[in-house]
Amino acid sequence: MALAKLEQRTTPDTVADTLREAILDGTLPAGAKLRETQIAAELGISRAPLREAFRRLEEEGLVLKVPFVGAFVAEISESSINDIARLRAVLEPWALREGWNTLQSEKLPYLRSLIDRLDAAAHESNIQDGTAAHLAFHRTIYESAGNEALVNLWRGWENKLRLFLAADYRAYDDDPMWTHHAHASLL
């Protein structure tokens, strides 16, 4: 692995942020065993904040802890992603209707900037930025609906979607311009 050392006084939040980023950018691939001793040494920290970070990432669905075996980067199945997609097909149009006024006024410039980011990411083959813009676009729709339960559903899905896209982006979208065009059309 290639994780940078952290300051000794690092909090579990910082450790979790570092590991989350490594998982979501593919540095720590799906299914990889997370060896406490090795990761703690690479980060230059004790194992206590690392264990707390694992617990937090487990709650987010990014880490799977198996008793007496260890912790692993979660694997997101295609069927799980399909389940999320089916729910989104029902809930996202409702979120659009609920957040219509906010989306048409204060959020419109932001959504347009995300379309521009999708375009730039497609032309530069920048999967990470394209994924970030793609998910930010949908997050904005859910947040604009003003429904806390809906936003919490999205938060639960977002890391799973990001993890899936990090692991299997090419299978999901072999034409980077497709994502740009689909979101521009939605806008």
Side-chain angles (χ1 to χ4, degrees), residues 100 102-121 129 133-134 136-138 140-141 179-181 183-187:
W100 184 256
T102 302
L103 290 166
Q104 286 296 306
S105 58
E106 61 195 71
K107 296 295 180 181
L108 191 58
Y110 178 63
L111 290 172
R112 285 188 176 131
S113 75
L114 292 172
I115 297 298
D116 292 342
R117 278 181 57 195
L118 283 167
D119 182 54
D129 197 44
H134 176 164
F137 186 93
H138 294 281
T140 302
I141 291 170
T179 302
H180 166 261
H181 293 308
H183 288 79
S185 177
L186 182 58
L187 180 63

Side-chain angles (χ1 to χ4, degrees), residues 69-92:
V69 177
F72 299 85
V73 175
E75 296 182 83
I76 305 299
S77 70
E78 193 168 333
S79 67
S80 176
I81 294 301
N82 287 334
D83 289 345
I84 292 170
R86 285 194 301 275
L87 288 170
R88 287 180 55 205
V90 173
L91 294 174
E92 206 157 298

Side-chain angles (χ1 to χ4, degrees), residues 11-22:
T11 66
D13 287 334
T14 305
V15 177
D17 290 345
T18 299
L19 292 175
R20 184 183 303 103
E21 188 61 35

